[in-house]
Amino acid sequence: MKVNFKPVLLATVLATSAFAALAQSGPGHAGGQGAGAGTHQADGERHAHRQDRMAKRAADLKASLKLSAEQESNWNAFVAAMKPPVHASRPTREDMAKLTTLERLDQMNALRKQRNAAFEQRDAATRAFYGSLSAEQKKVFDEGTARMHRHGHHRGHG
């Protein structure tokens, strides 16, 4: 039996690079470079700008898809799932330095599990919405989300 990985790859690209990347969640790493006076305001402004860009791209994609009334609820569930999760604040470098190696590993594993759970949610929502589209709409969706990826709107490694 030959396994076709193209649908799995497509779902992964869609879920991680299309919308989640557009609204990279929250402010940067606490305690990292650039932390200081005014950083929170700048982070808030960047977050608002990202949210605006995400909303505009979602609206453009929705218009291009020409959704039927029956597909509206699927779209709304999809967009809601693509919103960045609210993360607890990340530990600072100083806090991490106080931990033992094993405690740091546990902390990093917990953060990775949170990211993976968020990815799984976006993956499931993308698959459900994609399944509700017509063949022509799938083509439009594929082209629209692939274009976002080509322009460098991706999350990077995490």
Side-chain angles (χ1 to χ4, degrees), residues 6 10-12 14 16 19-20 43 54 56-57 66-67 69 75 93 96 98 100 103 105 126-127 138-139 155 158:
K6 199 172 197 178
L10 175 64
T12 302
L14 292 175
T16 59
F19 288 98
D43 286 342
M54 180 183 174
K56 182 184 181 328
R57 287 187 181 116
K66 300 175 184 158
L67 299 174
W75 170 260
R93 291 180 191 261
M96 290 295 277
K98 294 175 187 174
T100 67
E103 290 169 335
L105 288 172
T126 302
R127 289 174 187 276
K138 287 178 182 178
K139 183 177 177 186
R155 190 168 186 82

Side-chain angles (χ1 to χ4, degrees), residues 5-157:
F5 289 101
K6 199 172 197 178
V8 175
L9 178 62
L10 175 64
T12 302
V13 169
L14 292 175
T16 59
S17 64
F19 288 98
L22 299 176
Q24 294 179 14
S25 59
H29 297 285
Q33 289 182 331
T39 300
H40 293 295
Q41 182 179 3
D43 286 342
E45 290 171 8
R46 280 191 296 267
H47 181 69
H49 183 67
R50 283 190 301 261
Q51 292 290 73
D52 291 345
R53 275 194 337 254
M54 180 183 174
K56 182 184 181 328
R57 287 187 181 116
D60 290 347
L61 180 60
K62 182 180 180 183
S64 298
L65 289 171
K66 300 175 184 158
L67 299 174
S68 68
E70 297 82 32
Q71 292 172 317
E72 281 292 323
S73 63
N74 292 332
W75 170 260
N76 293 335
F78 170 71
V79 171
M82 292 300 119
K83 289 185 180 177
V86 177
H87 292 289
S89 62
R90 294 181 180 170
T92 63
R93 291 180 191 261
E94 293 80 21
D95 289 341
M96 290 295 277
K98 294 175 187 174
L99 301 176
T100 67
T101 298
L102 297 181
E103 290 169 335
R104 281 193 299 272
L105 288 172
D106 289 342
Q107 182 72 38
M108 290 185 284
N109 279 327
L111 291 172
R112 184 179 32 122
K113 287 177 183 177
Q114 288 174 353
R115 285 191 307 271
N116 287 344
F119 171 81
E120 301 266 338
Q121 178 186 6
R122 292 186 304 268
D123 179 89
T126 302
R127 289 174 187 276
F129 177 66
Y130 194 80
S132 73
L133 299 176
S134 69
E136 182 60 32
Q137 288 172 319
K138 287 178 182 178
K139 183 177 177 186
V140 170
F141 188 86
D142 292 344
E143 290 170 358
T145 56
R147 187 176 337 109
M148 290 174 196
H149 184 68
R150 277 195 309 269
H151 290 285
H153 299 289
H154 55 86
R155 190 168 186 82
H157 33 263

